[in-house]
Amino acid sequence: MTHAVRRVAVIDSGLGLVGYADALLTLRPDLSLVLSMDPDHMPYGHRTPDEVRALVLASARATLAFDPDAIVVACNTASVHGLEALRLELEPAVPVVGTVPAIRPAAATGGPVAVWATAATTSSDYLRGLVDAFASDIETTAVPCHGLAEAIESADPRAVDDAVAAATAATPEGVRALVLGCTHYGLVADRIQHAMGDGVLVFDSPIAVARQALRRLGLEPDPEAPLWGVEETLLSGRRGSLPGSLATYAAGARLLATCDPVGRSTGRARGTEPRVGRNTLRP
Ligand code: DGL
């Protein structure tokens, strides 16, 4: 039996989308993904809300040429400041799924809770609203993690360890639950867990966001479906290729494995040929 490939665009300033794309393919390997990163403007975390909104709109619009069935905003900063504008412009034609820091499950531990995120997210009304709604009676501290997303983007382990150490030092003693409120951070969750100690529960959102995306597409998880994977990569709106630095991260290595190194279709999907060219891997 054949069926049409469902295409999902995943957007972020950079590698933060990797864990979310990987989670989507874990639940539905037969999705075709268009990854839209913005190397010209990364990091978003220091920008004003208006700048972030304009950038995320441009990044999402660039994916429309590929006719996505849904768009996943795999970026907390972009979700906090741009989700409303994106939905106004694109829905109901294209469902838009945002990323929300996992405050609610973290608060269920009884706390104290810390939220690590970019400065643009920690200072937002959106985050304050989430804390008021789900953790009003729990001691909660938002920690802006300066330089951590950039260190992860550069795949430089020393810079990552330095930024994680600085964020750990800025986190109050006694925190029991840590929310990763920037999508980049999950790529180094093991280093963060190590720095914070085993007593701290770390909460991240990729699987929850992927499940929500499937709900919006009307799909059930089917982890045994034949692999399709990454079809196209956009870099600040231009067709490009996945950075080889992705291989530094387990989820990145899995994504790279869905690409043909010379950019040819590997014909993994059942039923249809890709509607556009396959992704290439930048050496
Ligand atoms: N990955 C983005 C987030 O979730 C931000 C990284 C950046 O500063 O560009 O907030």
Side-chain angles (χ1 to χ4, degrees), residues 12-13 16 42-46 74-78 118 121 149 181-184:
D12 178 45
S13 59
M42 196 275 164
Y44 285 178
H46 307 307
C75 176
N76 290 94
T77 309
T118 66
T121 297
C182 166
T183 55
H184 277 71

Side-chain angles (χ1 to χ4, degrees), residues 109-121:
T109 65
V113 171
V115 185
W116 285 14
T118 66
T121 297

Side-chain angles (χ1 to χ4, degrees), residues 31-158:
L31 290 175
S32 160
L33 302 184
V34 174
L35 307 182
S36 184
M37 302 186 242
D38 193 4
D40 292 359
H41 305 102
M42 196 275 164
Y44 285 178
H46 307 307
R47 295 181 178 276
T48 65
D50 285 348
E51 285 174 332
V52 172
R53 195 171 306 115
L55 290 170
V56 69
L57 277 168
S59 191
R61 284 177 191 142
T63 70
L64 297 180
F66 299 89
D67 197 15
D69 297 297
I71 294 178
V72 172
V73 185
C75 176
N76 290 94
T77 309
S79 297
V80 162
H81 296 300
L83 200 56
E84 219 177 283
L86 276 172
R87 287 191 165 143
L88 261 176
E89 180 168 312
L90 300 173
E91 290 189 337
V94 186
V96 182
V97 177
T99 306
V100 178
I103 305 284
R104 192 181 199 163
T109 65
V113 171
V115 185
W116 285 14
T118 66
T121 297
T122 55
S123 62
S124 68
D125 291 341
Y126 187 91
L127 184 63
R128 267 187 294 277
L130 278 179
V131 172
D132 287 349
F134 300 119
S136 57
D137 52 345
I138 306 282
E139 193 185 322
T140 303
T141 310
V143 180
C145 300
H146 302 289
L148 182 52
E150 296 91 310
I152 293 165
E153 189 77 16
S154 68
D156 173 349
R158 183 166 302 199

